[in-house]
Amino acid sequence: RDCQGRKMRNSLGNGVEPVTVIDEYGADALRLFLITGNTPGNDMRFSTEKVSASRNFANKIWNAARFIHMNIDGKDVPCALPARLTVEDKWIVSRFNSVAKEVTENLGKFEIGIAVQKIYDFLWDDFCDWYIELAKLPMAGGDEEAAQGARQVLVWVLGNTLKLLHPFMPFITEEIWQSLPHEGEALIVAAWPVYDEGLHFPEAEEEMQKVKELITGLRTRRSEMNVPPSKKAHLYI
């Protein structure tokens, strides 16, 4: 249906030409909108705003990949986890491990919209908004072992998350995956991520949740007191 809930008819002129939408927003953005907005048994309303939001998600992934390339290009970074994982490394790896398990279960029940929403939330919130920001610290420091560890975790997590996202957004995922260190010929025939009990770190997840709550609380307090981002503040615990 159109954005007003009316059936698309030639007489109303409210139909949508898919090729036109693809030209403006991209095929992956349209696919993602159709998947996330589809509830079994209900009609779907077409919304350019939601297609645009899907395109923004694609841009988020591109930006994450660009950041990783800025830090790995010219360096030997294997597609494997480092021997030593920090708390934040264990947290993001454990979160991915859980998401892979949940998404596989959702797909087995044909809960496609729920599955892709979990991947969306993980990539946008956990990986892009939190882990990438945390990874900037060791990569900007003088400890090369810590920096290399962060690079490997970035590559490993994004590469494997692209495998989960590939059925929903095949074009952007294949393009980015091919540009990153990887094993195999193509993403479309790569092995599906499976849950690994050895990558489950509940203590790290609990500790990082406390850190996230603390940082979020500080940001909220600074905003309430109109403290500019450029001004440093002392924290007493």
Side-chain angles (χ1 to χ4, degrees):
R1 296 177 178 266
D2 66 12
C3 60
Q4 300 178 35
R6 301 174 301 176
K7 286 187 177 181
M8 294 182 178
R9 302 178 186 276
N10 289 334
S11 59
L12 293 176
N14 61 346
V16 176
E17 173 56 55
V19 175
T20 302
V21 178
I22 290 172
D23 287 342
E24 183 173 357
Y25 298 100
D28 280 333
L30 178 58
R31 285 173 61 97
L32 186 64
F33 159 71
L34 294 173
I35 293 169
T36 56
N38 189 9
T39 304
N42 295 326
D43 291 333
M44 179 190 296
R45 292 192 180 190
F46 180 81
S47 168
T48 54
E49 290 77 11
K50 291 183 179 179
V51 180
S52 179
S54 296
R55 181 184 60 183
N56 293 341
F57 177 59
N59 289 337
K60 189 83 168 179
I61 304 172
W62 277 117
N63 290 335
R66 288 192 189 100
F67 171 79
I68 293 175
H69 276 292
M70 286 171 54
N71 289 276
I72 70 171
D73 287 351
K75 298 180 174 63
D76 182 16
V77 181
C79 182
L81 292 174
R84 185 175 68 86
L85 295 173
T86 63
V87 172
E88 57 268 26
D89 294 339
K90 290 181 178 179
W91 165 72
I92 196 64
V93 168
S94 186
R95 283 288 300 121
F96 166 79
N97 197 34
S98 298
V99 169
K101 179 181 180 181
E102 293 171 8
V103 167
T104 302
E105 292 174 351
N106 291 137
L107 291 177
K109 300 175 184 177
F110 296 98
E111 298 170 342
I112 301 176
I114 297 175
V116 73
Q117 187 63 50
K118 289 180 178 179
I119 303 171
Y120 182 104
D121 293 340
F122 172 76
L123 268 174
W124 192 293
D125 297 329
D126 293 336
F127 186 71
C128 293
D129 287 356
W130 283 100
Y131 184 74
I132 284 183
E133 294 302 316
L134 293 169
K136 290 178 181 179
L137 296 175
M139 289 193 295
D143 188 339
E144 178 55 29
E145 181 182 358
Q148 179 70 356
R151 296 186 199 108
Q152 289 183 228
V153 173
L154 284 167
V155 169
W156 187 89
V157 173
L158 181 57
N160 279 286
T161 307
L162 292 175
K163 294 178 182 179
L164 297 179
L165 187 61
H166 185 65
F168 313 105
M169 304 179 75
F171 302 107
I172 183 176
T173 51
E174 186 75 64
E175 182 76 17
I176 294 176
W177 189 80
Q178 291 287 349
S179 73
L180 295 172
H182 62 273
E183 296 179 357
E185 185 176 344
L187 180 55
I188 195 171
V189 293
W192 183 258
V194 296
Y195 179 80
D196 184 349
E197 186 62 35
L199 299 179
H200 180 53
F201 304 108
E203 297 84 2
E205 289 195 49
E206 183 178 349
E207 186 171 346
M208 271 302 303
Q209 183 60 34
K210 294 178 181 178
V211 172
K212 289 171 63 179
E213 291 175 356
L214 175 61
I215 294 175
T216 301
L218 288 171
R219 289 173 176 171
T220 301
R221 190 60 175 167
R222 288 175 66 99
S223 177
E224 292 173 347
M225 299 181 67
N226 297 318
V227 179
S230 58
K231 184 175 183 181
K232 292 184 178 181
H234 296 285
L235 176 62
Y236 299 96
I237 300 179

